[in-house]
Amino acid sequence: MTVLTESRTTGSGPRTANRRRKPVRTRAYKMFRVAALIAVVLFLVAPLLWMLLASLKTNVDIYDAGKSFLFTPTVENYANVLQRNNYFVFIFNSFWVAFVSTALSLILGVPAAYAMSRFTMHRSALVVLMARVIPGVSLLVPWYYVFSNLKMVGGFEVLILSHMFVALPLIVYIMMSYFDSLPIELEESAQVDGLTPIGAFRRITLPLSVGGMATAGILSFIFSWNNFMFALVLSGSKTKTLPVAIFDFVSYASIDWGGLMAAATVVTIPIMIIALFTQKYIVSGMTAGATKG
């Protein structure tokens, strides 16, 4: 009995030590994870915080390092942006171009993605992938040459078409993976009940793909809203969008940092609100292709 008791007592030693080590490792891992999360959040939020604070300062306060956080706020920069420079027109231009280009891309891209997914059109999918990879900046010079000969430079039409060149492949690429994740048996059952293939797509598949369309539409809208290069080359004085209008605060001799930061805040806030209220659609749409089968 004594031998058994000693063996049990001796054998419990390493187990107790392992149990003690595991909580230590778990706490260290949690501390590291929290520290890494805080570092990433600060890295992402710090520029936005600086932009917001600078938009409430005068140019003198911006250059004064002692007034980084303690200063007298002013809304003069926002008054300069929204009233004197008539930025409401630029906001409408950005919204109109983003909305129309996204809507037309969805109308064309969703049926195309469905056809490529259900009928395994590999060559067409390869063309879409190539259009997705090609940088749009490389096509600016040909676009400007063609559209200038057609007398279209400076109009909304050319901006919408140029934004659709990037938005359409993006929507097709997202929707193809989304349609691949939907079981084809649902459409076959609908056709057995008397629906045509187009009717099955319209009544069964399309309602089930609302999450994917929301994701594709939101990402397309954000790209169009933030696009600078296309609008810089192809827009005119009446069709100028917000990213281009921001550069009105940059001159050859000086930069109006307060007005520039206020204008950048005006550009950023709508997209942040949209992303905040539609994040569940973005997440569900992006993970739909991972649940295939």
Side-chain angles (χ1 to χ4, degrees):
M1 296 295 295
T2 306
V3 175
L4 292 175
T5 305
E6 291 179 355
S7 63
R8 289 176 182 176
T9 306
T10 306
S12 63
R15 295 180 182 178
T16 305
N18 291 333
R19 291 174 183 174
R20 292 176 181 175
R21 291 173 185 173
K22 288 181 179 179
V24 174
R25 294 177 182 176
T26 303
R27 287 196 297 268
Y29 173 72
K30 290 182 178 179
M31 292 176 61
F32 172 77
R33 185 173 60 182
V34 171
L37 181 62
I38 293 174
V40 171
V41 171
L42 289 177
F43 179 78
L44 297 175
V45 173
L48 297 176
L49 180 61
W50 186 89
M51 178 183 69
L52 180 61
L53 293 177
S55 67
L56 299 173
K57 299 178 183 179
T58 62
N59 288 328
V60 176
D61 291 341
I62 291 175
Y63 285 105
D64 189 354
K67 296 184 178 180
S68 298
F69 297 99
L70 299 176
F71 60 93
T72 303
T74 177
V75 294
E76 182 66 22
N77 296 321
Y78 288 96
N80 187 25
V81 168
L82 297 176
Q83 296 179 5
R84 299 173 191 170
N85 289 281
N86 201 18
Y87 260 58
F88 288 107
V89 175
F90 305 139
I91 293 173
F92 172 78
N93 293 343
S94 293
F95 177 82
W96 179 249
V97 172
F99 176 79
V100 175
S101 62
T102 299
L104 292 178
S105 298
L106 283 172
I107 293 173
L108 297 175
V110 172
Y114 176 78
M116 294 178 190
S117 173
R118 287 295 184 256
F119 301 104
T120 61
M121 302 170 64
H122 299 294
R123 294 183 180 178
S124 300
L126 180 61
V127 172
V128 172
L129 182 60
M130 291 178 61
R132 182 83 176 88
V133 173
I134 295 175
V137 179
S138 62
L139 300 176
L140 273 178
V141 174
W143 279 346
Y144 183 80
Y145 177 78
V146 172
F147 291 132
S148 62
N149 290 333
L150 296 175
K151 308 298 182 183
M152 294 178 62
V153 174
F156 283 112
E157 297 84 1
V158 64
L159 287 177
I160 292 171
L161 290 175
S162 63
H163 287 200
M164 286 180 63
F165 176 81
V166 178
L168 189 57
L170 175 65
I171 290 174
V172 172
Y173 186 77
I174 293 176
M175 293 307 299
M176 281 181 61
S177 62
Y178 201 94
F179 286 133
D180 288 339
S181 67
L182 296 179
I184 195 173
E185 289 78 10
L186 296 176
E187 301 171 26
E188 293 176 348
S189 300
Q191 294 180 30
V192 170
D193 292 337
L195 290 178
T196 62
I198 297 178
F201 167 72
R202 184 169 59 87
R203 296 187 179 184
I204 305 298
T205 306
L206 204 57
L208 292 176
S209 60
V210 171
M213 288 188 293
T215 300
I218 292 167
L219 294 178
S220 175
F221 186 91
I222 291 175
F223 157 78
S224 181
W225 181 273
N226 293 330
N227 185 269
F228 169 73
M229 189 62 66
F230 294 168
L232 178 65
V233 177
L234 300 175
S235 66
S237 58
K238 296 182 179 180
T239 59
K240 188 186 297 184
T241 58
L242 272 175
V244 179
I246 288 178
F247 270 75
D248 292 341
F249 295 95
V250 179
S251 62
Y252 178 77
S254 63
I255 300 176
D256 183 5
W257 285 107
L260 185 63
M261 292 301 102
T265 303
V266 171
V267 174
T268 306
I269 286 178
I271 293 301
M272 293 184 65
I273 294 174
I274 291 174
L276 180 64
F277 285 97
T278 59
Q279 58 180 337
K280 64 178 182 179
Y281 296 105
I282 295 177
V283 174
S284 63
M286 284 187 168
T287 57
T291 60
K292 182 178 179 180

